[in-house]
Amino acid sequence: MSAADEPVSHFPEDFRAAVSARLASDGYTIVGWEQNGVNVRPPEGGDEQYIGLSNLHRRVRAAEPAEWPEMIHSFLDRLARAVAAPDIPNDLTTILDRLRPRLGRPFDRTVAHPWGIPLPGTGLEITLVVDFPQTMAFVTDEMLKRSRKRGEDLLDVALENLRTATPADFFERASPEHDIYIGHTGDSYDATRALLLEELMPDSPAGFWVAIPSREELAVWPVSFPAIKNVHGLHLFATENFREHAYPITDDVFWVWQGMWHPFITLKNGDSVIDPPDLFIEALQELEGPRP
């Protein structure tokens, strides 16, 4: 193989070899590698398909190599079921119970055109999806047009659906030492439940620090004077899990107070930088008790 023929993928050779072997075993034909995935021809033939592998690589990197083939097979099986997902009807109002919100990084709209609105203060975006048993599909502007509905109206419905799907014991205290709470159900909407945290958590007069490093993780810490000196630990949690876990969202820590989101800790030049907004001092005045 010449240098020009070498795959441009940044994945390590052992991972590419394991993926190649599993694809061949499952009947796929590899057409060519790209930096973050691979182009294949499916077992039944037809048009080429691109398979993104970044999230899969994050998962297998934490497992033993002997486990990789089954993990890759499961990934491809879920992908095949997603392709075969039921068609979305022209009128979204016929499937209102399937709507869910999604909180994540903004889409590159030169590639896809889902409906979405920014979550102020975060650099993140709220979108809508249609939830199926094995996959989900993003609601697009065209779908809304056909349904004669505004995205903001259906977002209210989707949020109510998420409330209904959230167990009463969603948040669990992470340790006896710190009153950090972790929310995890594994249903792909855990990070999105940050949109409901002021409803799901007991009242906190000065608000909450929030970390959503990946789609399946939500960490919340009620603001208190004793916690201020340790809040950098929440950023360590965010940066490590953002780097290691599938479906990453952000390594920032936010402060949420009275329904508004504010950047609080960010990573700059490899260092955690705490930069509270002016409102944070006002919020601290709502707290009672001794200061550290």
Side-chain angles (χ1 to χ4, degrees):
M1 180 183 291
S2 67
D5 294 327
E6 288 290 337
V8 297
S9 170
H10 73 265
F11 299 120
E13 183 177 350
D14 57 348
F15 176 71
R16 292 201 309 269
V19 170
S20 297
R22 190 72 250 186
L23 285 169
S25 177
D26 288 352
Y28 289 86
T29 301
I30 295 178
V31 178
W33 288 86
E34 296 190 19
Q35 183 176 9
N36 296 309
V38 62
N39 294 299
V40 301
R41 189 167 290 110
E44 65 275 10
D47 296 336
E48 295 178 13
Q49 298 176 1
Y50 171 76
I51 301 177
L53 296 171
S54 295
N55 288 313
L56 174 64
H57 181 241
R58 286 171 181 260
R59 288 197 182 102
V60 303
R61 191 171 57 187
E64 294 295 327
E67 301 176 56
W68 291 9
E70 182 56 34
M71 295 176 72
I72 296 168
H73 173 71
S74 297
F75 173 82
L76 294 174
D77 186 54
R78 288 195 301 271
L79 181 67
R81 292 199 301 269
V83 171
D87 291 335
I88 299 174
N90 286 332
D91 187 354
L92 291 172
T93 62
T94 64
I95 52 169
L96 290 178
D97 62 315
R98 290 191 175 274
L99 295 179
R100 300 288 188 276
R102 288 293 304 276
L103 180 60
R105 292 184 286 186
F107 270 87
D108 177 0
R109 282 177 168 74
T110 64
V111 177
H113 300 277
W115 175 87
I117 56 173
L119 178 61
T122 67
L124 302 175
E125 184 177 54
I126 304 171
T127 52
L128 285 170
V129 300
V130 180
D131 186 62
F132 295 110
Q134 302 296 338
T135 186
M136 62 190 70
F138 283 92
V139 171
T140 65
D141 292 329
E142 183 59 32
M143 292 178 192
L144 293 169
K145 183 179 179 181
R146 292 198 305 263
S147 303
R148 299 181 180 181
K149 288 291 183 180
R150 297 168 64 248
E152 290 82 355
D153 295 334
L154 294 187
L155 178 57
D156 290 338
V157 175
L159 283 167
E160 184 57 36
N161 290 340
L162 187 62
R163 286 187 188 94
T164 302
T166 302
D169 58 350
F170 171 66
F171 279 115
E172 181 178 355
R173 187 162 178 164
S175 73
E177 293 79 19
H178 302 296
D179 57 343
I180 300 174
Y181 293 82
I182 302 294
H184 177 72
T185 66
D187 66 355
S188 301
Y189 301 100
D190 289 325
T192 302
R193 288 182 170 90
L195 299 174
L196 305 175
L197 77 91
E198 290 178 297
E199 303 174 26
L200 300 175
M201 289 288 295
D203 183 52
S204 176
F208 305 87
W209 290 301
V210 180
I212 43 175
S214 76
R215 188 181 73 179
E216 307 291 357
E217 293 169 302
L218 169 59
V220 176
W221 199 349
V223 173
S224 66
F225 288 121
I228 289 176
K229 61 183 178 182
N230 296 311
V231 69
H232 63 277
L234 186 60
H235 192 231
L236 180 62
F237 165 85
T239 54
E240 289 182 348
N241 287 284
F242 174 77
R243 183 176 61 248
E244 298 293 335
H245 289 179
Y247 304 102
I249 296 179
T250 178
D251 56 6
D252 290 343
V253 171
F254 302 98
W255 171 55
V256 180
W257 187 50
Q258 297 180 352
M260 300 299 294
W261 289 60
H262 308 269
F264 197 87
I265 311 179
T266 57
L267 193 65
K268 294 182 180 178
N269 299 321
D271 296 322
S272 295
V273 177
I274 299 178
D275 186 18
D278 293 340
L279 274 175
F280 187 67
I281 303 303
E282 179 181 333
L284 290 181
Q285 295 174 357
E286 300 292 327
L287 294 176
E288 298 179 356
R291 301 190 180 206

